[in-house]
Amino acid sequence: MAKYGEGDKRWIVEDRPDGTNVHNWHWAETNCLEWSRNLLGKLLSDLTILDGEGNLYIKTKEVTKVEGEAFINIRKGKIIPGYEISVSLSWEGEAREADGKSLLKVDGSVEIPYIADENADEDPEIRVILRDEGPIGRRIKDAFVSKGKPIVMEKVRVYVESMAKGGPAKEELEVKKPSTNKSSSSPAVTAPATATATATPPAQTKKDAKSKEGFKSISLTEKFHCRAKDIYEIMMDENRWKGFTQSNAKISREVGGEFSLFDGSITGINQELQEGELIVQKWRFGSWADGIHSMVRLTFDEPEPGFTIVKLMQTDVPEEDRYGNSTVVENTERGWRDLIFYKIRAVFGFGV
């Protein structure tokens, strides 16, 4: 076993002497926290919320805090954002009489406790805070909640989309993107192309490549100390799903029936069911582009009584969601492992 900090050189891609990250093969990580502070400061400062409507005047002042972590990973040209930040900003409001005389001036704050890549397709919680609880103060606060929260939310979405596109690393990615030279005569490039053309008609090769582009597969093997029928029942029982996930679930036990998991975040249709042996489902996240479904195949094998091997194969998982986030495959695999299989072991005592 290698010592900490060391490793088998056969598994290490060493840096080139000239420092070049060829085709972005290495993990290239860019710290984006300071960039996030600057961008959110520009997006959320000096925003006019109300300018006289109902004799109310409300605007944001400045971003007072951006804490947490934010980074962009790039490997082989693929952008993988990662961020978990909290944001605070100050705001001010004033209520005036019809003749313009000031009734009350207040200062408040807005707290956004959690903006994260794992929830990029969801609107974050936004808390509007005002210490003055008098009737006029409450009126100003209610006006900010009604009119200001949508404005703040839209600015947060701009930040999320900017991270999904590469943030400050986007320009670096464009500079380092490998150029394609059709007139290249390098044998390393032309030899495989010639072999492919000989083995498969060009038209068919293009069609096959196009149909697979942008999608990945997930394969997992998990072991449980239980009967195969027990784990099958858990996967098909909506009440047990609610129990171990602590979220709403609706599951049909019929072929052609629909299911909804994790408060509707995942939906699909049962394609094939063999009790205690097989579950095949058409399966998608709500954040995926319209019309895109993956295919989930779960097999349950019990080589000896009380010991079950579950094999998951999920095909046609999109590399990006509708918002441009490129962590779909990683998040989906992590969800199966940590939020489903691990929780089943912990809650039902099926650990190996």
Side-chain angles (χ1 to χ4, degrees):
M1 180 180 293
K3 296 180 181 178
Y4 181 80
E6 298 179 356
D8 190 332
K9 291 187 175 181
R10 292 173 297 176
W11 293 90
I12 299 175
V13 180
E14 296 183 348
D15 293 333
R16 282 171 45 135
D18 59 7
T20 302
N21 185 2
V22 181
H23 300 321
N24 291 287
W25 181 267
H26 299 276
W27 281 103
E29 182 171 298
T30 301
N31 189 322
C32 302
L33 186 57
E34 193 60 36
W35 176 87
S36 297
R37 291 190 176 112
N38 292 333
L39 178 58
L40 288 166
K42 293 176 182 177
L43 291 171
L44 294 171
S45 299
D46 297 320
L47 295 174
T48 298
I49 307 301
L50 288 174
D51 191 22
E53 296 90 332
N55 295 321
L56 296 178
Y57 297 82
I58 303 174
K59 72 173 186 176
T60 64
K61 296 168 67 177
E62 63 179 356
V63 172
T64 56
K65 181 188 75 172
V66 176
E67 294 183 346
E69 62 177 3
F71 54 86
I72 295 290
N73 280 318
I74 296 178
R75 188 187 183 208
K76 298 174 70 175
K78 182 179 180 182
I79 297 171
I80 305 175
Y83 51 93
E84 290 185 6
I85 60 173
S86 61
V87 179
S88 300
L89 59 138
S90 59
W91 63 275
E92 61 183 13
E94 182 181 10
R96 299 178 187 176
E97 295 182 347
D99 60 3
K101 183 179 179 181
S102 179
L103 288 172
L104 179 69
K105 291 184 178 181
V106 297
D107 289 299
S109 63
V110 174
E111 302 289 336
I112 312 174
Y114 192 65
I115 304 174
D117 60 283
E118 64 179 2
N119 298 327
D121 57 328
E122 303 174 8
D123 290 333
E125 177 186 5
I126 296 178
R127 303 171 185 168
V128 180
I129 299 170
L130 184 64
R131 293 184 178 178
D132 190 311
E133 291 298 329
I136 299 178
R138 286 199 299 270
R139 181 180 164 217
I140 297 173
K141 178 181 176 180
D142 290 345
F144 192 107
V145 172
S146 175
K147 301 294 184 179
K149 282 181 67 174
I151 295 175
V152 172
M153 193 76 72
E154 183 59 35
K155 300 301 182 182
V156 171
R157 291 193 192 106
V158 172
Y159 168 77
V160 170
E161 292 171 2
S162 298
M163 285 292 288
K165 294 177 181 177
K170 183 178 180 182
E171 292 183 2
E172 178 183 355
L173 178 63
E174 291 297 324
V175 169
K176 293 186 176 182
K177 187 177 294 184
S179 60
T180 56
N181 185 356
K182 295 182 180 180
S183 62
S184 173
S185 58
S186 170
V189 175
T190 58
T194 304
T196 302
T198 302
T200 308
Q204 185 177 349
T205 301
K206 292 179 181 179
K207 181 179 180 181
D208 292 345
K210 183 177 181 181
S211 65
K212 296 179 181 178
E213 184 179 356
F215 295 87
K216 297 288 186 180
S217 296
I218 295 171
S219 178
L220 293 174
T221 299
E222 301 287 333
K223 299 176 182 178
F224 298 86
H225 272 318
C226 66
R227 304 302 299 266
K229 64 178 183 179
D230 295 333
I231 189 74
Y232 177 92
E233 282 298 316
I234 291 172
M235 299 299 293
M236 296 301 298
D237 186 329
E238 62 184 46
N239 290 321
R240 294 181 187 179
W241 263 93
K242 293 175 183 178
F244 78 80
T245 66
Q246 295 296 296
S247 63
N248 290 324
K250 293 182 180 180
I251 303 174
S252 169
R253 298 176 68 95
E254 303 294 329
V255 173
E258 298 181 352
F259 63 88
S260 172
L261 309 173
F262 292 102
D263 296 320
S265 295
I266 297 170
T267 57
I269 300 173
N270 296 326
Q271 301 292 298
E272 185 178 352
L273 299 173
Q274 296 178 22
E275 188 169 353
E277 297 181 4
L278 176 67
I279 297 174
V280 180
Q281 296 173 326
K282 202 173 180 181
W283 193 102
R284 65 170 272 116
F285 268 110
S287 59
W288 294 359
D290 294 340
I292 292 181
H293 292 80
S294 67
M295 193 63 71
V296 166
R297 183 182 182 88
L298 287 161
T299 59
F300 306 87
D301 181 34
E302 191 174 351
E304 58 184 75
F307 179 73
T308 299
I309 298 174
V310 178
K311 292 185 178 181
L312 163 75
M313 174 58 73
Q314 184 170 4
T315 57
D316 296 328
V317 180
E319 291 183 328
E320 292 187 352
D321 62 16
R322 69 171 76 234
Y323 305 101
N325 297 300
S326 57
T327 56
V328 173
V329 178
E330 292 86 349
N331 289 342
T332 303
E333 181 174 343
R334 185 170 65 242
W336 277 108
R337 182 180 288 111
D338 297 344
L339 303 182
I340 298 178
F341 295 136
Y342 173 80
K343 289 292 183 68
I344 288 175
R345 289 192 189 92
V347 173
F348 297 100
F350 293 162
V352 175

